[in-house]
Amino acid sequence: MAQECNYHHGDVVINHVLSPRWMSRLADLALRDYPNKTYFSGTDIPALDLDGYETHRTGKGNNDCTMDAAIGICNEKQGNPFQPRLMLVELRNGYKSVENVSPDDVKRKETHSRDLLREADCNVRVDAIVGLVFDEKLENQLLNRTRRLKLSGVFPSNWHSFTSSTLCNYINYGRPMPYTPKALTAELAKRFEESVTSGSIYHCYDVFDEVKDYYASCSLQYLNGECRWLANELILQEDALRQMPLATDFERGIRDIIADELNRWVRMHR
């Protein structure tokens, strides 16, 4: 079975019961632990500050019992977020080797963090995977050494080692979710492309008229994914449409009507 892709889903954190007071950004939490460093620089990944929450909750100034953060991730289904959940993250960017991690220490933090999050909101799932984040300099050794530690039983199988950049890759940060359109949507897009290459603006307009009715129907049914995919697919034909050899102002007017409508659809879905 193919492994499902994970995607960054900040709304899981933003809408969490702890967010009004304990939401931060992963870059800010890394900066707090490692001043003058730029881990996760340029990212905007909402994160629950578990250390801060634990310190406040116990009133003891002890934040050594929790993971550093929880971020939001999800899978995707038909281009929409699916199975939203939290993922625990421990920042070990200052470590010079994966082997320096104390498994007992991290396991204790993992267990306690899961308990805290379950207690705060039992309806929000916490992913099985735990992310340990190291400095970029360790990237070449992380995969092999982490695999060896897992095979020897030192690390549990659900612990993954990352650098800042590979964690962003793991959660597909900044990348849109893929979308698989319905068969009819894809067929209409193909027919429109063929109508443009036919050279007949009248045939092109007849096909576009069908597309326009279908787009309106999808819009009324709130099938926003279909509408967005169709608009972005059709606009790819704009250059070819504008280069059609048209003999009269009337034909050029038809062409402009189609092109303007396509651009309006695309703007609606930005």
Side-chain angles (χ1 to χ4, degrees):
M1 181 182 295
Q3 184 177 359
E4 286 190 287
C5 287
N6 296 303
Y7 289 88
H8 171 238
H9 191 37
D11 285 354
V12 183
V13 171
I14 293 169
N15 297 325
H16 196 274
V17 67
L18 297 179
S19 70
R21 182 161 185 180
W22 303 111
M23 186 175 76
S24 182
R25 295 187 315 141
L26 199 54
D28 293 334
L29 296 179
L31 185 62
R32 180 184 67 188
D33 286 358
Y34 301 98
N36 303 318
K37 298 291 186 178
T38 55
Y39 301 119
F40 298 103
S41 175
T43 67
D44 185 13
I45 302 175
L48 292 176
D49 177 7
L50 298 182
D51 280 350
Y53 174 58
E54 172 69 356
T55 300
H56 169 78
R57 193 184 72 91
T58 62
K60 297 178 181 178
N62 179 16
N63 59 8
D64 236 7
C65 300
T66 50
M67 306 291 281
D68 291 308
I71 62 174
I73 63 171
C74 67
N75 300 120
E76 67 85 22
K77 188 174 185 180
Q78 287 293 307
N80 294 308
F82 179 62
Q83 295 182 331
R85 56 201 184 275
L86 293 169
M87 175 181 169
L88 295 173
V89 175
E90 178 71 5
L91 302 171
R92 295 298 173 104
N93 303 74
Y95 280 50
K96 298 188 181 196
S97 173
V98 181
E99 284 90 346
N100 291 344
V101 172
S102 166
D104 291 340
D105 177 50
V106 176
K107 187 61 185 175
R108 175 174 50 83
K109 288 178 175 238
E110 177 192 353
T111 301
H112 186 55
S113 296
R114 291 185 186 280
D115 289 343
L116 281 182
L117 290 169
R118 191 180 302 112
E119 177 185 304
D121 190 342
C122 63
N123 294 314
V124 180
R125 178 184 158 202
V126 181
D127 194 74
I129 298 301
V130 170
L132 307 178
V133 183
F134 297 89
D135 192 274
E136 302 288 337
K137 295 175 183 175
L138 301 185
E139 182 172 358
N140 292 333
Q141 65 166 267
L142 284 182
L143 186 61
N144 288 333
R145 293 193 179 184
T146 301
R147 183 186 293 121
R148 189 168 66 246
L149 289 168
K150 288 181 180 181
L151 288 173
S152 64
V154 176
F155 274 16
S157 60
N158 65 310
W159 291 5
H160 287 203
S161 296
F162 302 101
T163 64
S164 300
S165 57
T166 59
L167 177 60
C168 288
N169 290 340
Y170 179 75
I171 64 173
N172 281 288
Y173 176 76
R175 299 188 184 100
M177 294 183 184
Y179 189 81
T180 304
K182 294 183 177 181
L184 180 54
T185 310
E187 178 189 338
L188 283 172
K190 181 66 175 174
R191 285 181 56 203
F192 180 74
E193 178 184 358
E194 292 171 347
S195 75
V196 172
T197 57
S198 74
S200 169
I201 192 64
Y202 300 106
H203 176 50
C204 185
Y205 186 79
D206 287 342
V207 174
F208 182 68
D209 214 30
E210 289 184 57
V211 172
K212 190 164 58 172
D213 288 344
Y214 178 75
Y215 180 91
S217 174
C218 288
S219 182
L220 288 172
Q221 297 174 68
Y222 296 98
L223 296 173
N224 296 329
E226 295 295 308
C227 292
R228 183 182 300 108
W229 186 91
L230 188 57
N232 289 329
E233 194 70 15
L234 297 188
I235 201 65
L236 297 176
Q237 306 305 319
E238 182 181 13
D239 286 346
L241 179 66
R242 293 193 181 279
Q243 291 170 14
M244 290 177 72
L246 305 176
T248 67
D249 288 344
F250 179 74
E251 291 178 341
R252 287 187 284 273
I254 295 175
R255 176 200 62 197
D256 291 344
I257 288 172
I258 297 173
D260 289 347
E261 184 73 357
L262 291 179
N263 277 283
R264 186 179 71 84
W265 290 356
V266 170
R267 286 195 301 272
M268 285 173 60
H269 295 290
R270 278 177 181 160

